[in-house]
């Protein structure tokens, strides 16, 4: 009853936002979790390796939640960048922005909120990881727009999707050994390969 009362209260105070909640869910691809796994798996591999098999529980929670949040934020900025193109592609024509169900401003606000929440999680780690997070944020926000000026946007996606791994090393160990960058490179190549195959479908 308490939950229902709060839900009704939110609906009355913010009727437009409440009505758009299903579209926000679709915008962040929460209904399609495979992207979360593709981002989370290599991050957790690096966390496990950095911790020599026994990662810090706090860091495990931080990186799991952070991955979900940043993947959702990435979807928001991606659809914003592609809002004038998605309607002409069979696979993307029904996305909320392409259909006009939400506005570009809403997508940007949601992206900013998700990034802020993810940054709050990073603040629970060490200084080096906080510094590293700005690189990850830059890559995540830049990637969708690289499709406007290069045919190799998947290189930027590979860089962004692999960044969580090096952050896992800095969070767990406070440093970046050479083999962390080897793992980064391996995941970068893997991401470029599968995203190239994915893009060819369109």
């Amino acid at each position: 009853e308490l939950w229902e009362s709060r839900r009704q209260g939110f609906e009355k105070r913010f009727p437009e936002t409440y009505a758009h909640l299903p579209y926000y869910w679709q915008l962040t691809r929460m209904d399609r979790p495979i992207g979360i796994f593709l981002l989370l798996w290599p991050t957790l591999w690096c966390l496990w390796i950095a911790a020599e098999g026994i990662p810090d529980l706090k860091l495990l929670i931080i990186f799991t939640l952070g991955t979900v949040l940043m993947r959702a934020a990435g979807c928001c900025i991606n659809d914003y960048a592609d809002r004038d193109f998605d309607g002409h592609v069979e696979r993307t024509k029904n996305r909320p922005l392409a259909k006009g169900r939400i506005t570009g401003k809403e997508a940007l606000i949601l992206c900013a909120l998700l990034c802020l929440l993810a940054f709050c999680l990073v603040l629970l780690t060490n200084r080096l990881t906080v510094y590293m997070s700005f690189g990850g944020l830059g890559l995540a926000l830049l990637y969708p727009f690289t499709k406007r000026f290069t045919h190799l946007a998947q290189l930027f996606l590979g860089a962004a999707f692999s960044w969580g791994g090096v952050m896992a090393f800095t969070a767990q160990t406070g440093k970046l050994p050479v083999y962390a960058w080897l793992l980064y490179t391996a995941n970068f190549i893997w991401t470029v390969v599968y995203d190239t195959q994915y893009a060819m479908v369109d």
Side-chain angles (χ1 to χ4, degrees):
E1 292 181 3
L2 178 61
W3 169 254
E4 182 61 22
S5 174
R6 289 181 175 179
R7 184 195 65 79
Q8 291 177 356
F10 181 82
E11 183 179 5
K12 289 178 181 178
R13 291 182 63 188
F14 308 101
E16 184 176 351
T17 300
Y18 182 83
H20 287 183
L21 287 179
Y23 303 135
Y24 298 152
W25 187 259
Q26 293 172 16
L27 176 68
T28 55
R29 310 281 201 284
M30 290 299 181
D31 56 332
R32 298 175 180 271
I34 184 60
I36 295 173
F37 300 141
L38 289 172
L39 194 54
L40 183 61
W41 286 331
T43 302
L44 294 185
W45 295 337
C46 289
L47 184 61
W48 246 262
I49 292 170
E52 298 181 351
I54 308 177
D56 187 294
L57 179 59
K58 182 184 80 170
L59 293 179
L60 178 60
I61 294 171
I62 288 172
F63 277 92
T64 299
L65 293 177
T67 297
V68 173
L69 290 170
M70 284 308 298
R71 187 264 182 164
C75 291
C76 292
I77 196 67
N78 181 77
D79 283 13
Y80 176 81
D82 291 345
R83 63 193 184 282
D84 296 327
F85 300 90
D86 279 346
H88 304 287
V89 180
E90 182 65 29
R91 179 177 58 82
T92 61
K93 67 181 182 181
N94 291 318
R95 288 179 176 173
L97 268 175
K99 296 288 284 187
R101 291 169 177 154
I102 59 174
T103 66
K105 181 180 178 181
E106 287 177 283
L108 290 176
I109 291 173
L110 183 55
C111 178
L113 288 174
L114 291 166
C115 289
L116 181 61
L117 288 173
F119 185 65
C120 289
L121 289 173
V122 173
L123 291 176
L124 300 175
T125 63
N126 55 42
R127 183 178 298 182
L128 179 56
T129 307
V130 172
Y131 292 155
M132 293 286 290
S133 71
F134 290 103
L137 176 64
L139 287 169
L141 298 181
L142 176 64
Y143 157 69
F145 298 97
T146 61
K147 290 177 276 186
R148 305 285 86 82
F149 60 82
T150 176
H151 295 293
L152 297 172
Q154 60 267 41
L155 297 180
F156 291 87
L157 183 71
F161 264 45
S162 306
W163 200 257
V166 289
M167 286 180 61
F169 268 92
T170 60
Q172 183 68 50
T173 68
K175 56 186 178 181
L176 268 175
V178 172
Y179 65 89
W181 291 110
L182 293 176
L183 289 168
Y184 177 87
T185 302
N187 189 68
F188 170 83
I189 294 170
W190 178 53
T191 305
V192 170
V193 169
Y194 72 64
D195 191 57
T196 300
Q197 293 177 325
Y198 186 65
M200 289 174 69
V201 175
D202 290 339

